[in-house]
């Protein structure tokens, strides 16, 4: 029965393709697939030539869109996750180096010119954690189906940024 279904599926796939080459079921499925990047659809080459003549990019991506809060927060969420992971791995690496983690913290405190600079550096190091965490709660609220109206998205976005900055400054001053 599975073989019969496969035969029916391959027949449907081959009928949907622009080239129909009767052959075995395996080649019927793969016969319409292209090894180059251009699709085998009538008029496709003319479309790409017109786009090239008009000097349009293949994929406009970020070059034509105005940056919005939502897209910037999404990119920042991913970047903060990567930064925080890098800080965790870097801190872990410091524990295995000679002197241990506390030695390098003490060394940094001796080099820094004052407590304000130390708090600023700590807050910059804590900002990826606080932003990623607060924005994670925002995403959890979205998972519950709350906050999808545009006004709510922008309000929660700006709130996320503000709470993250304040929280990183508080944690830097306390720690």
């Amino acid at each position: 029965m599975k073989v019969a279904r496969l035969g029916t599926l391959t027949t449907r796939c081959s009928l949907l393709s622009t080239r129909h080459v009767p052959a075995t079921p395996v080649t019927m499925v793969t016969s319409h697939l292209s090894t180059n990047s251009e699709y085998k659809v009538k008029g496709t080459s003319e479309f790409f030539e017109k786009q090239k003549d008009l000097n349009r990019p293949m994929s406009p991506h970020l070059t034509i869109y105005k940056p919005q809060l939502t897209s910037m927060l999404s990119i920042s969420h991913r970047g903060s996750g990567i930064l925080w992971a890098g800080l965790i791995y870097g801190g872990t690496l410091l524990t295995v180096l000679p002197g241990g983690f506390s030695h390098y913290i003490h060394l940094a405190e001796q080099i820094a010119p004052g407590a304000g600079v130390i708090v600023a550096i700590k807050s910059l190091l804590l900002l990826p954690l606080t932003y990623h965490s607060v924005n994670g709660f925002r995403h959890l609220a979205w998972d519950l189906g709350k906050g999808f109206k545009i006004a709510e998205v922008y309000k929660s976005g700006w709130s996320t940024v503000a709470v993250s900055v304040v929280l990183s400054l508080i944690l830097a001053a306390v720690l």
Side-chain angles (χ1 to χ4, degrees):
M1 185 161 158
K2 288 183 181 179
V3 175
R5 284 185 185 166
L6 178 64
T8 308
L9 178 65
T10 56
T11 304
R12 287 181 189 163
C13 289
S14 64
L15 291 175
L16 291 173
S17 69
T18 56
R19 291 185 350 193
H20 176 68
V21 180
T24 63
V26 173
T27 57
M28 286 173 67
V29 171
T30 59
S31 64
H32 69 281
L33 298 176
S34 174
T35 55
N36 60 10
S37 62
E38 187 176 312
Y39 297 106
K40 301 291 182 181
V41 177
K42 186 177 181 181
T44 303
S45 61
E46 291 86 7
F47 171 79
F48 284 120
E49 297 213 10
K50 179 182 176 185
Q51 301 308 313
K52 187 175 181 182
D53 291 341
L54 293 171
N55 199 22
R56 292 181 179 161
M58 183 63 83
S59 177
H61 195 49
L62 298 176
T63 58
I64 65 167
Y65 295 108
K66 178 183 170 187
Q68 300 174 9
L69 178 68
T70 52
S71 61
M72 293 297 106
L73 290 179
S74 177
I75 293 167
S76 299
H77 185 74
R78 294 169 190 187
S80 66
I82 292 168
L83 280 173
W84 187 243
L87 289 172
I88 289 172
Y89 286 124
T92 305
L93 181 64
L94 286 178
T95 62
V96 298
L97 290 176
F101 186 75
S102 59
H103 168 72
Y104 293 101
I105 295 296
H106 182 66
L107 184 65
E109 287 174 346
Q110 288 178 345
I111 295 172
V117 174
I118 293 288
V119 169
I121 291 171
K122 285 181 181 179
S123 65
L124 286 176
L125 291 174
L126 287 169
L127 188 60
L129 168 70
T130 56
Y131 174 74
H132 197 76
S133 300
V134 172
N135 201 35
F137 285 114
R138 182 173 174 237
H139 279 267
L140 287 174
W142 287 347
D143 290 342
L144 295 173
K146 300 187 187 297
F148 282 117
K149 294 179 182 170
I150 294 296
E152 294 172 344
V153 169
Y154 275 84
K155 184 178 178 183
S156 67
W158 285 115
S159 299
T160 297
V161 172
V163 169
S164 300
V165 170
V166 170
L167 191 58
S168 69
L169 288 170
I170 290 170
L171 287 173
V174 172
L175 297 177

